[in-house]
Structure formats: structure tokens, C-alpha cells
Amino acid sequence: MNWIFLLIVLLATLGGGLIPMVVKRVNPNFPIYMLAFTGACLFGITIMHLLPEVYHELGHQAGIYIVLGFFLQVALQTLSHGTEHGHTHVPTDKHQHVHLAPLLLGLSIHAFMEGIPLGFRFHDQAALSSLVIGVAAHKLPEAFTLITVMVHAHQRAPKLWRILILFSLVTPAAALLASELGAHSAFISSFTAYIVALVIGAFLHISTTIFYESGTKHHELSYRKVLAIAGGLVLAFLTLIFE
């Protein structure tokens, strides 16, 4: 397992969570465009790099698990309230109570799932380096939204730091676990391919939700958001140079 890749994902998560902790007044348009850019990047990398890998590994069965992964993410969303794609419905009014346990559970399950493909042995070596870019890009708004919800819920700084650090470690830990177990067991290595297919479904759900819902009114697409989406897709296409 490449430790630099894990460090990139870890730092991206910490960086995303630090923004609402350090910057007192974040421009309300910033998370919209950040989500659009990173969502488009994740979508492009998923289609161009991950899909070919799982179909090569699983054949037509891959489609079944991708669909299951899509709806698994729908189920996880009932716990995480859509924090993965920045379209959270968590109450932030001071008179309402945020149920931290289910929110963190749902988001941690998702974070663990998205770390597993980072420990998968891809046939195309460009797939892993490209995936690191996509996952790191996704972790920025994911951590940003999580900590923003916590700040609005009036959580104290020490607790914010604990949540952010622990959450930042989930995805790298899942990648290490998948890599080590896969290296010592052919069964686990082949089983990981099914998990990757599930994660693809989750990524497709998250990225497409970002396109059409997050930060928009009546599903509007402003030209700035279109430009952000285009920028994310360009970054995804640039990963083809790793081929």
C-alpha cells in the first residue's frame, strides 16, 4: 500500500474539516462550487477507471452490485442525513438536538467503504492513483459538511478535533485493512471486487445528487456551478495521463 496515497486522503479530510473550524464566515457559495467540482471529479473517475475494473473482474454480475451499492447509499443516508453530498437535513436550530451517533455511524460506514477500493489490486495501475484523487476530492466537502453541522450544533472545539481526527483515519484504515488482508488471502482479494462494485454504486448516487440538488433551488444549475462541474470533469479526464 502506498503511504503517500493514504497521506493525501488523510490531509484532504483534515483540510476540509479545518475550514469551518478556522474560517468564521464562509461564503455560502463556496461549498456549492466545491461540491460541484469534487462531485464531477469523483463521477468522472468512477466511470473511467473503476467501472472497467469491476466489469473485468466480475463480468455482468458487476451491474447487480453497483445497483445494490446505489441503494445501500440511499439507506445510509437515513443515518448520515446526506452529509456525504453536502445536502444535509440535520437540524441546526439551537432549540433542536442533533443526534450525533447515527450521523457519525452512517458517515463512518460510508468512509470505511470508500477506503476499501484504495486497498484493491487493480489491473490498471492508473486506476489507483486516479481513485486517490477522486476520493481525496470527495473527502474535502464531506469533512467540511460534517464539521459545519457540528459547529452549528454548538459542539466545543476539543470534541470537534476528536471527531475530525477519528473520521480522517477511517478511510486510510479501511484501505490498509483491505490491502493487508487481500495480500494474504486470495478469497478476500476476490471478495473485495464485490465491495468495490458496491462503492461504485454509492459514488454514483453521491455525485449525481450533488449535480442536481446540493446548493440549488428547484434543481437550478447556475453557470458558475456548470463551470465548477466542467472543471471537475477536466481533472478526471486528466487522470488518463496516468495510463
Side-chain angles (χ1 to χ4, degrees):
M1 185 69 213
N2 192 318
W3 287 91
I4 295 177
F5 288 168
L6 296 183
L7 183 62
I8 291 171
V9 173
L10 177 68
L11 292 177
T13 313
L14 289 171
L18 279 173
I19 296 172
M21 293 174 65
V22 175
V23 182
K24 298 302 180 183
R25 292 184 179 180
V26 177
N27 187 309
N29 289 324
F30 172 74
I32 296 173
Y33 303 138
M34 176 173 64
L35 279 163
F37 178 85
T38 58
C41 178
L42 182 64
F43 178 81
I45 288 171
T46 299
I47 296 296
M48 290 187 290
H49 294 286
L50 297 190
L51 272 179
E53 286 286 334
V54 294
Y55 273 98
H56 179 273
E57 195 75 24
L58 303 177
H60 293 297
Q61 289 187 60
I64 298 171
Y65 291 92
I66 291 169
V67 172
L68 289 175
F70 187 96
F71 288 100
L72 174 61
Q73 182 58 42
V74 173
L76 287 176
Q77 196 170 287
T78 62
L79 295 174
S80 63
H81 299 277
T83 306
E84 302 92 335
H85 53 70
H87 194 61
T88 181
H89 299 287
V90 173
T92 54
D93 186 270
K94 64 181 180 180
H95 300 295
Q96 294 178 291
H97 179 65
V98 176
H99 298 285
L100 292 182
L103 176 109
L104 292 173
L105 175 62
L107 202 56
S108 296
I109 292 172
H110 169 74
F112 189 86
M113 284 178 59
E114 67 188 2
I116 291 175
L118 295 174
F120 183 65
R121 283 165 171 72
F122 294 98
H123 294 280
D124 179 7
Q125 293 303 311
L128 179 57
S129 52
S130 302
L131 179 61
V132 168
I133 293 173
V135 170
H138 172 53
K139 301 302 285 187
L140 281 167
E142 188 177 60
F144 175 89
T145 306
L146 171 63
I147 299 302
T148 297
V149 169
M150 299 295 102
V151 169
H152 286 172
H154 310 289
Q155 300 297 321
R156 297 183 180 277
K159 189 169 186 177
L160 291 177
W161 276 108
R162 288 197 299 272
I163 290 172
L164 178 59
I165 291 171
L166 289 173
F167 179 67
S168 300
L169 292 172
V170 173
T171 299
L176 279 174
L177 183 64
S179 177
E180 289 302 311
L181 292 178
H184 294 90
S185 170
F187 170 77
I188 292 177
S189 181
S190 61
F191 178 75
T192 304
Y194 294 93
I195 305 297
V196 174
L198 291 174
V199 174
I200 287 174
F203 282 167
L204 291 176
H205 177 276
I206 291 167
S207 57
T208 52
T209 302
I210 288 170
F211 294 160
Y212 295 112
E213 291 189 12
S214 299
T216 63
K217 295 179 180 178
H218 308 296
H219 308 287
E220 294 173 357
L221 281 175
S222 68
Y223 79 91
R224 289 189 179 90
K225 188 172 180 182
V226 170
L227 288 175
I229 291 172
L233 289 175
V234 168
L235 178 58
F237 278 112
L238 286 175
T239 63
L240 293 174
I241 65 176
F242 297 142
E243 297 286 349

